[in-house]
Amino acid sequence: MGSKSDLPVVEETAKLLSQFEIRHEIRVISAHRTPELARRYALEAEERGLEVIIAAASGAAHLAGVIASLTPLPVIGIPLEGRTMGGVDSLYSTVQMPAGVPVATVAIGQAGARNAAILAAQILGIKFPELRNKVKAYKAEMAERIEKETYLFNKSG
Amino acid sequence: MGSKSDLPVVEETAKLLSQFEIRHEIRVISAHRTPELARRYALEAEERGLEVIIAAASGAAHLAGVIASLTPLPVIGIPLEGRTMGGVDSLYSTVQMPAGVPVATVAIGQAGARNAAILAAQILGIKFPELRNKVKAYKAEMAERIEKETYLFNKSG
Amino acid sequence: MGSKSDLPVVEETAKLLSQFEIRHEIRVISAHRTPELARRYALEAEERGLEVIIAAASGAAHLAGVIASLTPLPVIGIPLEGRTMGGVDSLYSTVQMPAGVPVATVAIGQAGARNAAILAAQILGIKFPELRNKVKAYKAEMAERIEKETYLFNKSG
Amino acid sequence: MGSKSDLPVVEETAKLLSQFEIRHEIRVISAHRTPELARRYALEAEERGLEVIIAAASGAAHLAGVIASLTPLPVIGIPLEGRTMGGVDSLYSTVQMPAGVPVATVAIGQAGARNAAILAAQILGIKFPELRNKVKAYKAEMAERIEKETYLFNKSG
Amino acid sequence: MGSKSDLPVVEETAKLLSQFEIRHEIRVISAHRTPELARRYALEAEERGLEVIIAAASGAAHLAGVIASLTPLPVIGIPLEGRTMGGVDSLYSTVQMPAGVPVATVAIGQAGARNAAILAAQILGIKFPELRNKVKAYKAEMAERIEKETYLFNKSG
Amino acid sequence: MGSKSDLPVVEETAKLLSQFEIRHEIRVISAHRTPELARRYALEAEERGLEVIIAAASGAAHLAGVIASLTPLPVIGIPLEGRTMGGVDSLYSTVQMPAGVPVATVAIGQAGARNAAILAAQILGIKFPELRNKVKAYKAEMAERIEKETYLFNKSG
Amino acid sequence: MGSKSDLPVVEETAKLLSQFEIRHEIRVISAHRTPELARRYALEAEERGLEVIIAAASGAAHLAGVIASLTPLPVIGIPLEGRTMGGVDSLYSTVQMPAGVPVATVAIGQAGARNAAILAAQILGIKFPELRNKVKAYKAEMAERIEKETYLFNKSG
Amino acid sequence: MGSKSDLPVVEETAKLLSQFEIRHEIRVISAHRTPELARRYALEAEERGLEVIIAAASGAAHLAGVIASLTPLPVIGIPLEGRTMGGVDSLYSTVQMPAGVPVATVAIGQAGARNAAILAAQILGIKFPELRNKVKAYKAEMAERIEKETYLFNKSG
C-alpha cells in the first residue's frame, strides 16, 4: 500500500488472505516517495518466491504500475479513494496501463480490497488445487448465506 | 467476446496468446442475449480444463461478471468502447464488482486486449515456469526495442 | 435487491406498491453472489404469474440485466449509490444494455425507488384500468399538494 | 422525437415495432420549441387510445419528462447523442426524474432505440399474450443466431 | 423552485434581490409534478409584468427549460445539487438547451443562487439605470472588502 | 471570442443578431493572450454604450469571467468545444463562477452560439418592446415549422 | 488565494515554504471579485522581485490563469475543492490553459497545496543550489520515514 | 515521451524550445516498458546538468511521476490523449500526485505541449534573465498578433 493510512482498507485483503491460509506480507511502499524501495521490492519479488503482488494506492495511483513494470509476476491493483473524486483518479491511473504491462484492477476501495484477496486465491488456485477448493467453498457459503436472507423478505402488498 | 463485431480487438489478445503458445479458444457469448450459453460456458469451464477466462464486452458490460459469478477460475475483463462514452460505461460495469466476485480488469480497448493476454501468461506463469520465462523475454525485448528507439531522438536546440 | 443493505431504499418502492395495492414480494438476490438463484427467479417469474420485475443494485449493477436476459417480462432497474461515484457506475451498468435486452431504468437512489413503483403501476395500468385511475389520483394529489405550498411563498422585495 | 434529424435513430424503433406488429405513429415534437404541441399530445394520448409513449431527444432532453408529467401512460425515454458529450447530458436529463414522475430510460442512441421497441412490446405483453410470445420468439431467435456464430470461432493457439 | 426543500438555497437569491430593492415573488412550481401550474405561470408571466424569471431545480432539472419554452422573457436557471452527482445532472439538464430556447445558467447551488440575483439586476440594469448603479456599488464594495482582507496576510518566511 | 478559429461557431450568433436587427460587433480577444485588451474592452464597454456582452471561448474558458469581473453589464458565456473533452472543461470554467460575478452560460458549441443571440434579444427585449415581439415571432415561427414537420410522419405499424 | 476561506489549505503551502526558508507572502486576491488587484499584483510581481507565484482557487478557478496572463514569472496553480464536484471544475479551469500561457498545475486540495511549495523550491533550486539540497534532504527524509514504517507491517497469514 | 507515436505532439514542445534557444534532448522512455531506462535517466539528470525535465505520456500516464520521484529537478507533465477518454485518464494520472512529489502539469495534448516549453522558459528565466526577456517578447508578440486580428472583425448588425 502507498501509505500507512491505507491500512484499514488493506486489512480487508489481509483478513481474507488469512482466511484462505495464503501466506502474505504487508508493506508500506510509495511509488513516488520511496521509488527505490518500490523498485527493489519488485525486482526481488520473484526470487523471494512471491507469486502474486497486490498494490493499493490512491490519487495518481502508480504503485501497481511501477511494480508491474519490474516483475514478471501478476500484479493486482486496488484503486483507493482519496480526499476528492471518489477514487476515479486512482481507478484510471491503475487500469489504463499501456500495452505490455497489465495491472489486474479490481473495484475502488473496500470491495476491491476484498476482491483482490479472492482474485489472488483464484490465480494461485491454478497451481494449488486446495486453494481452488477453498474459493469454491467460499462462494458456495456466500451464496447460501444470501439465499437464506432472501426468504426473510417475502411479503405481499 | 459479447459480439462478433468485437473480433478486431479480441484478435489482439489471440495473437499474443499464440505468440506465448498458450492454447485458447474464441467464443461469441453474450451475457444478455445468450445467457444460457454464458452460464453453461462458465459452469463447464473448470471441468473442461480451462485455467483462465478472458471476457471482452462493451456498454453495460456484464459478460466478465456473469462468468466470474459461476466459476472459481480467474476471469479477466476487457472493457470495450461502444458507440458512446469512450468505454467508460463498460469500464465501470466490468471493474466495480461487489465483494466476493472479482474481475481482473485491464485497460479499455486495444491496449487492454493485448494486456489480457500478457496477464493470462503471468497468471499461468505461476504454474508453468516456461511461461514466466516467455513473459520475461517478451518484456526484455519490448524494453530493448524502445531503448533503441530512444537514441534516434537526440538533438539539441 | 442485490444486498440486504439496500432495504432502506427498496422499502420506498414497497411502500408505494402497497399504497397502489399492487401485490409484490421482496427478495435479496445477487446477480454475482447468487447467480443460480437469480437465474431460477428470472426463469420462473412468468410461470409464477409475476408481471413486472424491479431490480435494485449498486456498483457494477448487473442484477436488472441478468434478470432481463432470462424473462420476457418488463424489468425495471433502480441504480443504487455505492460507497463511491454517487451511483454513476450503477447507472451506466443498468441503462447501457445492448440492443435486444432492455432495462427500464429510473433515477439513482431514493427518487428512483419511488418511481419504480409508479412506473410499475403505469405499466400494469395498461391491463388494469383501476390501477391507471390510481396513478391519476396519485399525480393529481401530488400536484394539488405542491400547488398549495406554492401560495405560502408570495412575498415581494 | 425532438427533431427531424433524430429520424435515423428513431427508425430503428419503428422497424422493430412493425416487426412486432405493434401499431404506432411517429411525431416530431420538441419539448422546448413546440411546448404546446407536446402538452396537447401528452394530454390527449390516453383518450386517443395510446398505451405507451416513446420519447427520443438529445442535449437537455426534456421531451420524455414533459410528456410523463402530463399522462398516466408509461413513458419510455431514449437519450440521443448530441454533438458533444456523447449523450451523457441527455442520459442525465432523461433518467434523473424526481420522485413522482418516472421515465423508463433505455441506453443512449441506437441500442436504446431498438430496446425502446422491445420494452414497449414487453409492457404491452402483460395485456396481450401474443405479444409476449413474440418477445419470447425474438429473444430465442437472437440467442440462436449468436450461438451459431460462436462456433465459427474455435481455434487453438 | 422545484420543491419546498430548495428554499434555503433560493433564499440567498431572495435576500440579494431585496438588497437590490427588486420586487420579486417566490413560488414552488415543479415542471414534472405541477406541469399545468408551470405552464400557466410561464404563459401569464409577461402579462403580469414580470421581467425576468429565475428557476431553480435539481436532478433532471427541467423547470427553467419548460418555462423558457413558454415565455419571451429571459429565464435564469440555477442547477441545484440533488442527493447524488453533486449537481452535474441538473447542470447538464439546465444548460444544454437546444437552439431556439436559451436558459441563462449560473453556477451549481449557493453561488449560483446569489449570482442569479446579480444577473437579474444586471439584466434589469439595461432598462433601469439606478439598478446598474446598485450593481456597480455592490461590486465596488465587494472588491473593497476583499482588498482589506488581503492586507491581513502579509508575512514572510 | 477567444480565438479567430472560433469564428465559424460565433457566426451563428452574429447571423441571429442580424436577423433580430441588433447592432453588434465581433472581436477576437483572448483573456489569456491579450489580457490588457480584454480589460480595456470590458472597462470601456458601458461607456461605449454596449448593453450585453457575449463571450465565447474553449478550454480553461476565462474570457466571459474576466469580462464579467470588470463590467456591470450582463455577460453571456458560450463554452466552446476544444480538441479534447467535448467542451466539458469550458462549460465548467464558464458556469462555475463565484458568488458576486455571474456569467449567463448557454449550451456548449453551436446550439449555445445561437441561443446566446436569442438570450441577448430577450434581455434587450425588457427595454425594447419591438425586440420582445421579434423574439415572440421567432419562437412562433420555429414552433410552426416543427409542427408542420410532425405531420409528415404519421404511419402505423 | 481567491478567498479567505481557502486559508487552511494554503497554510500547508506556507508551512513548507517556511520549512525550506523561502521568503513568501500570502494574499487574498480574487480574479473575479478584485480583478484590478489581481492585475496590479501580477504586473508588479516581477519588479517587486518575486520569482514564483502560487495561486489557489476553487470553482471556475481563473486566478492562476489571470495572473499568468500578465507576468513572465512561472505561475503554479492549486485547484481547490468547492462545495460541489470535488474540485474537478477548478482542475479543468486551472490546467486547460490555451497555448501561450501555461499554469503549472498541481493536485486538487491539500496534496496540491504542499506540492506547490515543493515545486517552487525545485524551480528556485535551479538558481539557488542550497534550495536544491534542501529538496533532496526533504525527499530523502520522507523516503526514510516511510521505509521505517514499512517494517512495522511484516506478518504472514 | 512514453512512445515514439507521441512525437508529433512533442515536436511542438521542441520547436518552441528551439525558438527560445534552450538546449534540449528528446528521448522515448516508457515508465512501464523501460522502467530501468526511466530510472537511470531520472537519477543521472541532475549530474548531467539538466535543469528541467518535460515528460509526455497518455493513459495511466506515470512517466512524469516516476521521473519526479527520482530527481530534485522540476518535472513538467504533458497529459496526452490516448484512443479513449480524451486524455482525462492521463490528466488525472499526471496531476493527482501525492504530497511530496509534485508534477507541474499543463493542458492535455497540443496546447500543453507548447505550454510545457514556455513554462520551462519561465522557470529557467529565474536564473537566466535573457530567457525571461524572450518570454516577455514572445507574449508581447502573441498579444500584438491577436490584437491585429481583432480589428478584422468589426461589423455591425
Side-chain angles (χ1 to χ4, degrees):
Chain A
M1 60 186 150
S3 154
K4 206 172 57 176
S5 62
D6 301 334
L7 191 61
V9 180
V10 171
E11 265 177 348
E12 299 282 325
T13 312
K15 256 189 268 174
L16 264 179
L17 289 173
S18 297
Q19 187 176 329
F20 287 126
E21 294 176 278
I22 297 173
R23 288 189 53 209
H24 60 278
E25 62 187 19
I26 304 179
R27 287 283 188 282
V28 177
I29 295 176
S30 165
H32 297 120
R33 290 179 287 196
T34 62
E36 294 292 20
L37 179 59
R39 173 174 173 263
R40 234 163 32 229
Y41 190 83
L43 287 177
E44 297 171 0
E46 190 193 2
E47 237 180 61
R48 287 180 57 220
L50 301 189
E51 309 243 46
V52 176
I53 298 176
I54 298 171
S58 61
H62 300 189
L63 185 58
V66 160
I67 289 179
S69 73
L70 289 161
T71 181
L73 301 177
V75 175
I76 299 171
I78 311 171
L80 300 180
E81 281 183 87
R83 293 185 188 215
T84 58
M85 292 205 194
V88 169
D89 49 357
S90 44
L91 172 57
Y92 293 175
S93 303
T94 302
V95 80
Q96 284 292 78
M97 296 290 290
V101 189
V103 165
T105 306
V106 290
I108 298 170
Q110 205 166 54
R114 297 174 72 179
N115 277 344
I118 299 170
L119 180 57
Q122 289 175 318
I123 289 172
L124 293 167
I126 295 175
K127 189 173 175 186
F128 306 104
E130 72 279 13
L131 253 176
R132 182 170 294 169
N133 289 334
K134 280 180 192 164
V135 168
K136 283 186 205 173
Y138 177 84
K139 290 188 124 190
E141 187 191 358
M142 179 172 68
E144 208 180 329
R145 201 176 54 244
I146 297 174
E147 298 210 15
K148 260 183 210 147
E149 278 171 11
T150 202
Y151 294 106
L152 299 177
F153 303 96
N154 198 347
K155 51 177 168 180
S156 298
Chain B
M1 61 187 149
S3 153
K4 205 173 57 175
S5 62
D6 301 335
L7 191 62
V9 180
V10 171
E11 265 177 348
E12 298 283 325
T13 312
K15 255 189 271 176
L16 264 179
L17 289 173
S18 298
Q19 187 177 327
F20 287 127
E21 294 175 278
I22 297 174
R23 289 189 51 209
H24 60 279
E25 62 187 17
I26 304 180
R27 289 280 188 280
V28 177
I29 296 176
S30 166
H32 297 119
R33 291 179 287 195
T34 61
E36 295 291 20
L37 180 59
R39 173 173 174 262
R40 233 163 32 231
Y41 190 85
L43 286 178
E44 296 171 0
E46 190 192 3
E47 238 181 59
R48 287 181 56 220
L50 302 188
E51 311 243 44
V52 175
I53 299 175
I54 298 172
S58 61
H62 299 188
L63 185 58
V66 160
I67 289 178
S69 73
L70 289 161
T71 179
L73 301 177
V75 175
I76 298 172
I78 310 171
L80 299 180
E81 279 183 87
R83 292 183 189 218
T84 57
M85 290 202 195
V88 169
D89 49 356
S90 44
L91 172 58
Y92 293 175
S93 302
T94 303
V95 79
Q96 284 293 77
M97 295 291 290
V101 189
V103 165
T105 306
V106 292
I108 297 170
Q110 203 165 57
R114 298 175 72 180
N115 277 343
I118 300 169
L119 181 56
Q122 290 174 318
I123 287 172
L124 293 167
I126 294 175
K127 189 173 176 186
F128 304 105
E130 72 279 13
L131 254 177
R132 182 170 294 168
N133 290 335
K134 281 180 193 163
V135 169
K136 283 187 205 173
Y138 177 84
K139 292 187 122 187
E141 187 191 357
M142 178 173 69
E144 208 180 327
R145 199 177 56 242
I146 297 174
E147 297 210 17
K148 259 182 212 147
E149 279 171 10
T150 203
Y151 293 106
L152 299 177
F153 303 97
N154 198 347
K155 52 178 169 178
S156 299
Chain C
M1 60 187 150
S3 153
K4 206 172 56 175
S5 63
D6 301 335
L7 190 63
V9 180
V10 171
E11 264 177 349
E12 298 283 325
T13 312
K15 257 190 268 175
L16 264 179
L17 290 174
S18 298
Q19 188 177 326
F20 287 127
E21 294 176 275
I22 298 174
R23 288 189 53 210
H24 60 278
E25 62 187 18
I26 304 179
R27 288 282 188 281
V28 177
I29 296 177
S30 165
H32 296 119
R33 290 179 287 194
T34 62
E36 294 292 19
L37 179 60
R39 175 175 172 260
R40 235 165 28 233
Y41 189 84
L43 286 178
E44 297 171 0
E46 191 193 2
E47 238 181 57
R48 288 180 56 219
L50 302 188
E51 310 243 45
V52 175
I53 299 175
I54 298 172
S58 61
H62 300 190
L63 184 58
V66 160
I67 288 178
S69 74
L70 289 161
T71 180
L73 302 177
V75 175
I76 299 172
I78 311 171
L80 299 181
E81 280 183 87
R83 295 186 186 214
T84 58
M85 291 202 194
V88 169
D89 49 357
S90 43
L91 173 58
Y92 293 174
S93 302
T94 303
V95 79
Q96 285 291 78
M97 294 292 290
V101 189
V103 166
T105 306
V106 291
I108 298 170
Q110 203 165 57
R114 298 175 72 180
N115 278 345
I118 299 170
L119 180 56
Q122 289 175 318
I123 287 172
L124 293 168
I126 294 175
K127 189 173 176 185
F128 305 104
E130 72 279 13
L131 254 177
R132 184 171 293 169
N133 289 334
K134 280 180 193 164
V135 168
K136 283 188 205 172
Y138 177 84
K139 290 187 124 189
E141 187 190 0
M142 179 173 70
E144 208 180 327
R145 200 175 58 241
I146 297 174
E147 297 211 17
K148 260 183 211 147
E149 279 171 10
T150 202
Y151 294 106
L152 299 177
F153 304 96
N154 198 348
K155 53 178 169 180
S156 299
Chain D
M1 62 186 148
S3 154
K4 205 172 55 174
S5 63
D6 301 335
L7 191 61
V9 180
V10 171
E11 265 178 348
E12 298 282 327
T13 312
K15 255 189 270 176
L16 264 179
L17 289 173
S18 299
Q19 186 177 328
F20 288 127
E21 293 173 279
I22 297 174
R23 288 189 51 210
H24 60 278
E25 63 187 17
I26 304 179
R27 288 281 187 282
V28 177
I29 296 176
S30 166
H32 297 119
R33 291 179 287 195
T34 62
E36 294 292 19
L37 180 59
R39 175 175 172 261
R40 235 166 28 232
Y41 190 83
L43 286 178
E44 296 170 1
E46 190 193 2
E47 238 180 58
R48 288 181 55 220
L50 301 188
E51 310 242 45
V52 175
I53 299 175
I54 297 172
S58 61
H62 299 190
L63 185 58
V66 159
I67 289 179
S69 74
L70 289 161
T71 180
L73 301 177
V75 176
I76 298 171
I78 310 172
L80 300 180
E81 280 184 86
R83 292 184 189 217
T84 57
M85 289 202 195
V88 169
D89 49 357
S90 44
L91 173 58
Y92 292 175
S93 302
T94 302
V95 79
Q96 284 292 77
M97 295 290 290
V101 190
V103 166
T105 307
V106 291
I108 298 171
Q110 204 165 56
R114 299 175 71 180
N115 277 344
I118 299 169
L119 180 57
Q122 289 175 318
I123 288 172
L124 293 168
I126 294 176
K127 190 173 174 186
F128 304 105
E130 71 279 14
L131 254 177
R132 183 171 293 169
N133 290 334
K134 280 180 192 164
V135 169
K136 282 187 206 172
Y138 177 83
K139 290 186 123 189
E141 187 190 358
M142 177 172 70
E144 209 180 326
R145 199 177 56 242
I146 297 174
E147 298 210 16
K148 260 182 211 147
E149 278 171 9
T150 201
Y151 294 104
L152 299 177
F153 303 97
N154 198 349
K155 53 179 170 179
S156 299
Chain E
M1 59 186 150
S3 153
K4 206 172 58 174
S5 62
D6 301 334
L7 191 62
V9 180
V10 171
E11 264 177 350
E12 299 282 325
T13 313
K15 258 189 267 177
L16 264 178
L17 289 173
S18 298
Q19 187 177 327
F20 287 126
E21 293 175 278
I22 298 173
R23 287 190 52 210
H24 59 278
E25 61 187 19
I26 304 179
R27 288 282 188 280
V28 177
I29 295 176
S30 166
H32 297 120
R33 289 179 288 194
T34 62
E36 294 293 20
L37 179 60
R39 175 174 172 261
R40 235 164 29 232
Y41 190 84
L43 286 178
E44 296 170 1
E46 191 193 2
E47 237 181 59
R48 287 181 55 218
L50 301 189
E51 310 243 45
V52 175
I53 299 176
I54 297 171
S58 60
H62 299 189
L63 185 58
V66 160
I67 289 178
S69 73
L70 289 161
T71 180
L73 301 178
V75 175
I76 299 171
I78 311 172
L80 300 180
E81 280 182 88
R83 292 184 189 216
T84 57
M85 290 203 196
V88 169
D89 49 357
S90 43
L91 172 58
Y92 292 175
S93 302
T94 302
V95 80
Q96 284 292 77
M97 295 291 291
V101 189
V103 166
T105 306
V106 291
I108 298 170
Q110 202 164 56
R114 298 175 72 178
N115 277 345
I118 300 170
L119 181 57
Q122 289 175 318
I123 287 171
L124 293 167
I126 294 175
K127 188 172 177 187
F128 305 104
E130 72 279 14
L131 253 177
R132 183 172 293 168
N133 290 335
K134 279 179 194 164
V135 168
K136 282 187 205 170
Y138 177 84
K139 290 187 124 188
E141 187 190 358
M142 179 172 70
E144 208 179 326
R145 200 176 58 242
I146 297 174
E147 298 211 15
K148 259 181 211 147
E149 278 170 10
T150 201
Y151 294 106
L152 299 176
F153 304 95
N154 198 347
K155 52 179 171 178
S156 301
Chain F
M1 62 186 148
S3 155
K4 207 173 54 175
S5 62
D6 301 334
L7 191 61
V9 180
V10 170
E11 264 176 350
E12 298 283 325
T13 312
K15 256 189 270 175
L16 264 179
L17 290 173
S18 299
Q19 187 177 326
F20 288 126
E21 294 175 279
I22 297 173
R23 289 190 50 211
H24 59 278
E25 63 187 19
I26 303 179
R27 288 282 188 281
V28 177
I29 296 176
S30 165
H32 297 119
R33 290 178 288 193
T34 62
E36 294 292 19
L37 180 59
R39 175 176 172 260
R40 235 164 30 231
Y41 190 84
L43 286 178
E44 296 170 1
E46 190 193 2
E47 239 181 57
R48 289 180 55 220
L50 301 188
E51 310 241 47
V52 176
I53 299 176
I54 297 172
S58 61
H62 300 190
L63 184 58
V66 160
I67 289 178
S69 74
L70 289 161
T71 180
L73 301 177
V75 176
I76 298 172
I78 310 172
L80 299 180
E81 279 183 86
R83 296 186 185 215
T84 57
M85 290 202 195
V88 169
D89 49 357
S90 44
L91 172 58
Y92 293 175
S93 301
T94 302
V95 79
Q96 284 291 78
M97 295 290 291
V101 189
V103 166
T105 306
V106 291
I108 297 170
Q110 204 165 55
R114 300 175 71 180
N115 277 344
I118 299 170
L119 181 56
Q122 289 175 317
I123 288 172
L124 293 167
I126 295 175
K127 190 174 175 184
F128 306 104
E130 72 279 14
L131 253 177
R132 183 172 293 169
N133 290 335
K134 281 179 193 164
V135 168
K136 282 187 206 171
Y138 177 84
K139 291 187 123 189
E141 188 190 357
M142 178 172 69
E144 209 179 327
R145 200 176 56 243
I146 296 174
E147 298 211 14
K148 259 182 213 147
E149 278 171 11
T150 203
Y151 295 104
L152 299 178
F153 303 97
N154 198 350
K155 51 178 168 179
S156 300
Chain G
M1 60 186 149
S3 155
K4 206 172 57 177
S5 63
D6 302 334
L7 191 63
V9 180
V10 171
E11 264 178 348
E12 299 282 325
T13 313
K15 255 188 270 175
L16 264 179
L17 290 173
S18 298
Q19 187 177 328
F20 287 126
E21 294 175 278
I22 297 174
R23 288 190 52 209
H24 60 278
E25 62 187 18
I26 304 179
R27 287 281 189 282
V28 177
I29 295 175
S30 166
H32 296 121
R33 291 179 287 194
T34 63
E36 294 293 20
L37 180 59
R39 174 174 174 261
R40 233 161 36 229
Y41 189 85
L43 286 177
E44 296 171 1
E46 189 191 3
E47 237 181 61
R48 287 180 57 219
L50 301 189
E51 310 242 47
V52 176
I53 299 177
I54 297 171
S58 60
H62 300 188
L63 185 58
V66 160
I67 289 178
S69 73
L70 289 161
T71 180
L73 301 177
V75 175
I76 298 171
I78 311 171
L80 300 180
E81 279 183 88
R83 292 184 190 217
T84 57
M85 290 203 196
V88 169
D89 49 357
S90 44
L91 172 57
Y92 293 175
S93 302
T94 302
V95 80
Q96 284 293 76
M97 294 291 290
V101 189
V103 165
T105 306
V106 291
I108 298 170
Q110 204 165 55
R114 299 174 72 179
N115 277 345
I118 299 170
L119 181 56
Q122 289 175 318
I123 287 172
L124 293 167
I126 295 175
K127 189 174 176 184
F128 304 105
E130 72 278 14
L131 254 177
R132 181 170 296 169
N133 290 333
K134 280 179 193 164
V135 168
K136 283 186 204 171
Y138 177 84
K139 290 188 123 188
E141 187 191 358
M142 179 173 68
E144 208 179 328
R145 200 176 56 243
I146 297 174
E147 299 211 13
K148 259 181 211 149
E149 277 171 11
T150 201
Y151 293 108
L152 298 178
F153 303 95
N154 198 347
K155 52 177 168 177
S156 300
Chain H
M1 60 185 149
S3 154
K4 206 173 56 175
S5 62
D6 302 334
L7 191 62
V9 180
V10 170
E11 264 176 350
E12 298 283 325
T13 312
K15 257 189 268 174
L16 264 179
L17 289 173
S18 296
Q19 188 178 326
F20 287 127
E21 295 176 279
I22 297 173
R23 289 190 50 211
H24 60 278
E25 61 187 20
I26 303 180
R27 287 283 188 281
V28 177
I29 295 176
S30 165
H32 296 120
R33 290 179 288 196
T34 63
E36 294 291 19
L37 179 59
R39 173 174 174 260
R40 233 161 33 229
Y41 190 84
L43 286 177
E44 297 170 0
E46 190 192 3
E47 237 181 60
R48 287 180 57 220
L50 302 189
E51 311 241 45
V52 175
I53 300 175
I54 298 172
S58 60
H62 300 189
L63 186 58
V66 159
I67 289 178
S69 74
L70 289 162
T71 179
L73 301 177
V75 176
I76 298 171
I78 311 171
L80 300 180
E81 279 183 88
R83 293 184 189 215
T84 58
M85 291 204 195
V88 169
D89 49 356
S90 43
L91 172 57
Y92 292 175
S93 302
T94 302
V95 80
Q96 284 292 76
M97 294 290 290
V101 189
V103 165
T105 307
V106 292
I108 297 170
Q110 203 164 56
R114 299 174 71 179
N115 277 345
I118 300 170
L119 180 57
Q122 290 175 317
I123 287 172
L124 293 167
I126 294 175
K127 189 173 176 185
F128 305 105
E130 72 279 14
L131 253 176
R132 182 171 294 169
N133 290 334
K134 281 179 193 165
V135 169
K136 284 187 205 173
Y138 177 83
K139 291 187 123 188
E141 188 191 357
M142 178 173 69
E144 210 180 325
R145 200 177 55 244
I146 297 173
E147 298 210 15
K148 259 183 212 146
E149 278 171 10
T150 202
Y151 294 106
L152 299 178
F153 303 97
N154 198 349
K155 51 177 169 180
S156 298

